[in-house]
Amino acid sequence: MDHNKRSAVSTVPDAAPIRVGFIGLNWNKGWALKTHRPAISQLSSQFLITALYDEDQEAVVTTIQKLRLVHATAFTSLEAFSSFKNIDMIVVSIRASKQYEVLMSILKHSATNLSLKYLFIEWAFGSNLQQAQEIYDATAQRRLQTIVALQGRKSPYIQRAKELIHENYIGEINSVEIAGNACWFGYERSRKFAPGMFEMGNGLDLVTTTFGHTIDLLQYITESYFSKINALIFNNIPNQTLVDDLGNPMGRTVPKSVPDHLLFHGSLQRGNIPVACSIKGGKPTKKFTKNFVIDIHGTRGDIKLEGDAGFAEMSNLVLYYNGIRANDHPAAGEKLSSEQGKEFMEVYHLRNYDAVHGNIFRLYQSIADFHFNTRKIPNLPSHFIMQGFEFEGFPTLMDGLILRKLIDSVYRSSSLGSTLDVTNTLQFAFM
Amino acid sequence: MDHNKRSAVSTVPDAAPIRVGFIGLNWNKGWALKTHRPAISQLSSQFLITALYDEDQEAVVTTIQKLRLVHATAFTSLEAFSSFKNIDMIVVSIRASKQYEVLMSILKHSATNLSLKYLFIEWAFGSNLQQAQEIYDATAQRRLQTIVALQGRKSPYIQRAKELIHENYIGEINSVEIAGNACWFGYERSRKFAPGMFEMGNGLDLVTTTFGHTIDLLQYITESYFSKINALIFNNIPNQTLVDDLGNPMGRTVPKSVPDHLLFHGSLQRGNIPVACSIKGGKPTKKFTKNFVIDIHGTRGDIKLEGDAGFAEMSNLVLYYNGIRANDHPAAGEKLSSEQGKEFMEVYHLRNYDAVHGNIFRLYQSIADFHFNTRKIPNLPSHFIMQGFEFEGFPTLMDGLILRKLIDSVYRSSSLGSTLDVTNTLQFAFM
């Protein structure tokens, strides 16, 4: 039971760090500054930013200066950036709707760049399944090692839940219920959000992001893809009230075309397990019910994951476990020994865990673990195509593509009014 | 806000009690003995058992003696029982699979019995929709006043939840989530249960009973039928372990053909409200999560109903409310007065409420209220066809028939793999 430990070594002597070329880092604001930058800083023996791209010359120079990226070369040309020999990894941390164009350009212009081994991409890489598939195909042809920021898989709570199930602490899974509140797709919209988040076709909608991350975590925890699914998608709030930074209404509404509610249910391939899932926009509940809940019921115990917002990949959670371990359960007719049949209870909560930073940090850590073989895994392959349901490693574009296919099926199920068999859709698909 | 009060008068002087002919009451055991008998005893000024039918001569005589039904005539012939002039109401409290035959016989043989006004039937009246429809048609032709034991509608918690919503305490409903555990459809079966409960086609399955009662309550509380629905029905536990009265395995398994899990979701006609529902058999959860939960989220507040088992119609519940009343909510731009914007919280729990007896008792009480016009409603009609979503009254066969149609649609949705539009199915249907 050591899947949940931190990387074995936090510095890697006698090895050159992974040289990182970054797209999307700005000294002033943004997700990359908030999460990628501190992760790389904390892993300074493993990662070094050696190149930075921004189409805006002033922005790229200022960012290098302000963030003291003393080893970084500034680029304003994607072509020059992509063919730069002094990088091992490119990180693209820009919003989904812009990823396709940038990634296809990188993949084209880095074709002869033999230094480049890793490509790290934000979820959901592209605005739709077709773009995602093209990006995947292009990276697969190049045999680039991809990493996708489905960082929730690295959350200690998710790892612990997976571990408890993997080690048979709850027996066979009987059923799963999920409810989450993706508040910003509800009645009010903060003026700080870009309108693109609320327009269909940008890969930023409630189904692709909130549900996408959540259901990826469920599949990862339970080690199973879905077999049958049905979905109903709602846009009951076509206009949102704009609010200022203090949450006060600004006296006008703005249109919203993305959904504000997804009802999803289905069965997992493993054991035909029923899964109910309700992801909503709308007013967060304040009392009695958390805004993120995953209940996993088993024949010998239960796991409950709770959080304050429907974004499990970047929320601090609490894990509750109660049950009887497999080995402690007497066989039918067998008498209980004093050691058997004991009920265990665990409340797992890291009070100061900052999930926004922490999960991205742990994702970088897993890249370093792979690159330097920190965990001393014998015969570690030089490339891996997908993480699947392994504890080790990191989600790749293949994992992401499988998830995009599920999301695509969710939209199709809702528009067709059909329950879909996705057994053959959701599986490892070689080129 | 007085919908939740008990009957205004508990004795009715100067009026003859409603004369009851009973089918299914046995001195030794059973639901009728446990619930109908004490209700009638407590309402002795309003109800009097004047006839008892049982095909077994000894049983009917013994029951009359042991229960001291001094005014009751014993019948072993349904024909004689049904044409007995000294009855105003027939109560049929037998299992669903036997109801069709008995009810059709009563309806035939009571054709010229002008005394008979009321027919009180257990849910789910008949093994399937076709039988239910025939029973309904026969009673409607006779203009008998029917009462169906969807007694959960009379639960004080259900009435209170409905009242809070009706009086705009939570604003517009945003979404609903339901999870319930119908434990006896799970891994273990107590030997005390009749095998028929676990065979399809008897009207006793998890969908018809557990889901049926629950979803009826949700529709009643929210005052809306469904528009679109989808369902996935599972029988993951085709064999149950037989256990003795202490819950110890008896060393053998018994087959089960009824479902052990229903995933249901849909939208209500009112406001296109998304509803997620998961009703499972299987091991009840012991901690962290109750075995019955209805979460109703609104724009101004939330209601949570919780219970210890997935049978809301016969469980003691707890109701939690938190929100801002409609009149206390400032309009956009309006400043809060000291009286406005106050958040209310309510935990409603009757510690000693015995829901098994209490809800049936309250159902009888509502029949008496109607018959004697206890509540002094002006121009009270002499007959009412359905309760619909009224606080007053009691569910009738029309309410039951609408529910049976929903249940039928649930089975069809699952077997067809389709999301169904039930808007036109679920509505008042005149003959």
Side-chain angles (χ1 to χ4, degrees):
Chain A
M1 218 202 301
D2 64 350
H3 305 301
N4 203 24
K5 282 188 186 157
R6 279 186 50 165
S7 177
V9 276
S10 59
T11 57
V12 183
D14 304 328
I18 299 167
R19 296 164 299 171
V20 177
F22 214 107
I23 299 181
L25 182 62
N26 183 291
W27 67 275
N28 191 31
K29 60 176 181 172
W31 175 253
L33 178 71
K34 194 172 176 185
T35 62
H36 289 259
R37 162 72 177 156
I40 290 171
S41 299
Q42 285 176 70
L43 295 165
S44 57
S45 299
Q46 289 94 330
F47 296 95
L48 181 70
I49 295 179
T50 54
L52 190 70
Y53 164 82
D54 197 308
E55 59 183 359
D56 179 337
Q57 171 80 30
E58 198 187 320
V60 68
V61 169
T62 311
T63 298
I64 286 173
Q65 283 174 349
K66 296 264 190 189
L67 302 184
R68 297 182 190 173
L69 307 174
V70 294
H71 301 278
T73 305
F75 290 92
T76 54
S77 148
L78 260 186
E79 185 171 349
F81 173 82
S82 306
S83 54
F84 186 48
K85 302 293 182 201
N86 195 26
I87 48 174
D88 303 301
M89 173 161 93
I90 289 177
V91 180
V92 181
S93 179
I94 57 178
R95 65 185 44 186
S97 59
K98 294 184 175 168
Q99 286 183 25
Y100 175 74
E101 200 186 344
V102 168
L103 286 166
M104 293 311 277
S105 175
I106 290 170
L107 288 160
K108 180 178 160 199
H109 294 120
S110 68
T112 58
N113 186 350
L114 298 179
S115 309
L116 183 65
K117 282 183 66 183
Y118 300 98
L119 184 60
F120 184 164
I121 309 177
E122 295 287 352
W123 180 253
F125 60 102
S127 304
N128 52 49
L129 176 58
Q130 193 192 328
Q131 287 187 358
Q133 179 77 55
E134 285 183 46
I135 293 166
Y136 169 78
D137 290 347
T139 60
Q141 274 173 339
R142 287 279 307 282
R143 283 186 60 82
L144 279 179
Q145 178 61 63
T146 56
I147 302 101
V148 169
L150 290 165
Q151 72 270 24
R153 289 174 171 227
K154 290 292 160 190
S155 157
Y157 306 99
I158 300 302
Q159 294 268 315
R160 181 64 184 141
K162 180 174 165 67
E163 190 172 65
L164 286 167
I165 290 168
H166 193 80
E167 296 184 1
N168 212 358
Y169 271 65
I170 67 165
E172 295 301 309
I173 303 175
N174 170 273
S175 52
V176 177
E177 285 130 17
I178 304 172
N181 191 309
C183 46
W184 55 58
F185 296 107
Y187 301 97
E188 295 180 347
R189 181 195 305 179
S190 168
R191 67 171 175 190
K192 76 181 176 196
F193 287 125
M197 261 184 64
F198 304 93
E199 289 161 17
M200 275 307 286
N202 289 328
L204 295 166
D205 58 285
L206 174 144
V207 178
T208 309
T209 57
T210 320
F211 170 77
H213 276 288
T214 303
I215 214 69
D216 181 60
L217 296 181
L218 181 79
Q219 293 183 132
Y220 185 64
I221 289 171
T222 58
E223 306 189 347
S224 177
Y225 297 117
F226 279 87
S227 48
K228 271 199 298 190
I229 65 141
N230 183 273
L232 297 177
I233 294 174
F234 298 76
N235 184 12
N236 282 344
I237 311 167
N239 293 291
Q240 299 178 297
T241 300
L242 210 62
V243 298
D244 65 21
D245 298 348
L246 298 170
N248 296 318
M250 295 171 68
R252 63 193 181 92
T253 61
V254 278
K256 173 174 81 57
S257 61
V258 296
D260 41 56
H261 207 116
L262 166 66
L263 293 174
F264 168 90
H265 59 205
S267 52
L268 292 176
Q269 290 176 25
R270 168 184 175 169
N272 199 33
I273 299 165
V275 176
C277 176
S278 170
I279 305 280
K280 56 177 160 291
K283 201 175 164 91
T285 61
K286 292 173 121 183
K287 299 195 169 68
F288 320 132
T289 302
K290 287 285 184 177
N291 287 299
F292 178 78
V293 181
I294 297 183
D295 277 311
I296 303 175
H297 307 293
T299 49
R300 277 197 291 270
D302 298 299
I303 290 171
K304 190 185 195 84
L305 286 160
E306 280 191 344
D308 287 332
F311 309 101
E313 77 283 7
M314 51 182 181
S315 300
N316 198 7
L317 305 177
V318 185
L319 180 150
Y320 300 91
Y321 161 72
N322 171 250
I324 299 169
R325 288 189 302 203
N327 294 336
D328 295 331
H329 202 252
E334 193 190 326
K335 275 222 163 181
L336 285 177
S337 77
S338 62
E339 296 301 307
Q340 285 180 322
K342 274 189 194 160
E343 210 167 71
F344 282 80
M345 187 150 131
E346 174 178 326
V347 178
Y348 180 55
H349 181 59
L350 308 169
R351 193 176 164 83
N352 295 315
Y353 186 66
D354 178 342
V356 173
H357 298 103
N359 296 344
I360 290 286
F361 171 79
R362 289 162 66 107
L363 189 51
Y364 271 96
Q365 209 171 37
S366 68
I367 300 168
D369 281 345
F370 172 74
H371 183 78
F372 299 110
N373 195 7
T374 317
R375 290 175 181 273
K376 313 255 184 273
I377 295 168
N379 308 316
L380 187 72
S382 63
H383 180 79
F384 86 104
I385 294 169
M386 71 187 293
Q387 181 180 30
F389 305 130
E390 294 298 317
F391 284 94
E392 298 289 335
F394 38 77
T396 70
L397 271 180
M398 175 63 87
D399 297 294
L401 190 62
I402 291 172
L403 185 57
R404 294 270 343 198
K405 285 182 178 174
L406 176 60
I407 288 161
D408 190 61
S409 301
V410 164
Y411 273 107
R412 274 193 298 121
S413 171
S414 181
S415 61
L416 294 172
S418 297
T419 301
L420 300 178
D421 187 329
V422 293
T423 310
N424 296 322
T425 311
L426 305 185
Q427 59 184 15
F428 176 77
F430 264 114
M431 287 271 297
Chain B
M1 215 201 302
D2 63 351
H3 305 301
N4 203 25
K5 282 190 187 153
R6 279 186 49 166
S7 178
V9 276
S10 60
T11 56
V12 183
D14 304 328
I18 300 168
R19 296 165 297 170
V20 177
F22 214 108
I23 300 182
L25 182 62
N26 183 293
W27 68 275
N28 191 33
K29 60 176 181 173
W31 176 252
L33 178 71
K34 193 172 176 185
T35 62
H36 288 259
R37 162 72 178 155
I40 290 172
S41 298
Q42 284 176 71
L43 295 166
S44 57
S45 299
Q46 290 93 329
F47 296 96
L48 180 70
I49 295 179
T50 53
L52 190 70
Y53 165 81
D54 198 308
E55 58 183 0
D56 180 337
Q57 170 81 28
E58 197 186 320
V60 69
V61 169
T62 311
T63 297
I64 286 173
Q65 284 174 349
K66 295 262 189 192
L67 301 184
R68 299 181 190 173
L69 306 175
V70 293
H71 301 278
T73 306
F75 290 92
T76 53
S77 147
L78 261 186
E79 187 172 347
F81 173 83
S82 306
S83 53
F84 187 48
K85 302 294 180 203
N86 194 26
I87 49 174
D88 303 300
M89 174 161 92
I90 290 179
V91 180
V92 181
S93 179
I94 56 178
R95 64 185 45 184
S97 59
K98 293 185 177 168
Q99 286 183 25
Y100 175 74
E101 200 186 345
V102 168
L103 286 167
M104 293 310 276
S105 175
I106 290 170
L107 288 161
K108 181 179 161 199
H109 294 120
S110 68
T112 57
N113 186 349
L114 297 178
S115 309
L116 184 65
K117 281 183 67 183
Y118 300 97
L119 183 60
F120 184 164
I121 310 178
E122 296 287 351
W123 180 252
F125 59 102
S127 304
N128 53 48
L129 176 59
Q130 194 192 327
Q131 287 186 358
Q133 179 77 54
E134 284 183 46
I135 293 166
Y136 169 78
D137 290 347
T139 60
Q141 273 172 340
R142 287 280 306 282
R143 283 186 60 82
L144 279 179
Q145 178 61 64
T146 56
I147 302 102
V148 168
L150 289 164
Q151 73 270 24
R153 290 174 171 226
K154 291 293 161 190
S155 157
Y157 306 99
I158 299 303
Q159 294 268 315
R160 181 65 184 141
K162 179 174 167 64
E163 189 173 63
L164 286 167
I165 290 168
H166 193 80
E167 296 184 2
N168 211 359
Y169 271 65
I170 67 165
E172 294 302 307
I173 302 176
N174 169 273
S175 52
V176 177
E177 285 130 17
I178 303 171
N181 191 309
C183 47
W184 56 57
F185 296 107
Y187 301 97
E188 295 180 346
R189 181 195 305 179
S190 167
R191 67 172 173 186
K192 76 180 177 196
F193 286 125
M197 262 184 64
F198 304 94
E199 288 161 17
M200 274 308 284
N202 289 329
L204 295 167
D205 58 284
L206 174 145
V207 177
T208 308
T209 58
T210 321
F211 170 77
H213 276 287
T214 303
I215 214 70
D216 180 61
L217 296 180
L218 181 78
Q219 293 183 134
Y220 185 64
I221 290 171
T222 59
E223 306 188 347
S224 177
Y225 298 116
F226 279 87
S227 48
K228 271 199 297 190
I229 64 140
N230 182 273
L232 298 177
I233 294 174
F234 299 77
N235 184 12
N236 282 344
I237 310 167
N239 292 292
Q240 298 179 296
T241 300
L242 210 62
V243 298
D244 65 20
D245 298 348
L246 298 171
N248 296 317
M250 295 171 67
R252 62 191 182 93
T253 62
V254 277
K256 172 174 81 58
S257 61
V258 295
D260 42 57
H261 207 116
L262 165 66
L263 293 175
F264 168 90
H265 58 206
S267 52
L268 293 176
Q269 291 175 25
R270 168 184 176 168
N272 199 33
I273 299 165
V275 176
C277 177
S278 171
I279 304 280
K280 56 178 161 290
K283 202 177 164 91
T285 61
K286 292 174 119 180
K287 300 196 169 65
F288 319 134
T289 302
K290 286 285 184 177
N291 286 301
F292 177 77
V293 181
I294 297 184
D295 277 310
I296 303 175
H297 308 293
T299 50
R300 278 198 291 270
D302 298 299
I303 291 170
K304 191 184 195 86
L305 286 160
E306 280 190 345
D308 287 333
F311 308 102
E313 77 282 8
M314 51 180 180
S315 299
N316 199 4
L317 305 178
V318 186
L319 180 151
Y320 301 92
Y321 162 73
N322 171 250
I324 299 168
R325 288 189 303 204
N327 294 337
D328 295 332
H329 203 252
E334 192 191 326
K335 275 220 162 182
L336 284 177
S337 77
S338 62
E339 296 301 308
Q340 285 182 318
K342 275 189 193 159
E343 211 168 69
F344 282 79
M345 188 150 133
E346 174 178 327
V347 179
Y348 180 55
H349 181 59
L350 308 169
R351 193 177 165 83
N352 295 315
Y353 186 67
D354 177 342
V356 173
H357 298 100
N359 296 344
I360 290 286
F361 172 79
R362 290 162 65 106
L363 189 50
Y364 271 96
Q365 209 170 36
S366 69
I367 299 167
D369 281 345
F370 172 74
H371 182 79
F372 299 108
N373 196 7
T374 317
R375 290 175 181 272
K376 313 254 183 273
I377 297 168
N379 307 316
L380 187 73
S382 63
H383 180 78
F384 85 105
I385 294 168
M386 71 188 292
Q387 181 179 32
F389 305 132
E390 294 298 317
F391 285 94
E392 298 289 337
F394 38 77
T396 70
L397 270 180
M398 174 63 87
D399 297 294
L401 190 63
I402 291 172
L403 185 57
R404 294 267 349 193
K405 285 181 179 176
L406 177 59
I407 288 161
D408 190 62
S409 301
V410 164
Y411 273 108
R412 274 192 299 118
S413 172
S414 181
S415 61
L416 294 172
S418 297
T419 301
L420 300 178
D421 188 329
V422 293
T423 310
N424 296 322
T425 311
L426 306 185
Q427 60 184 14
F428 176 76
F430 264 113
M431 285 272 297

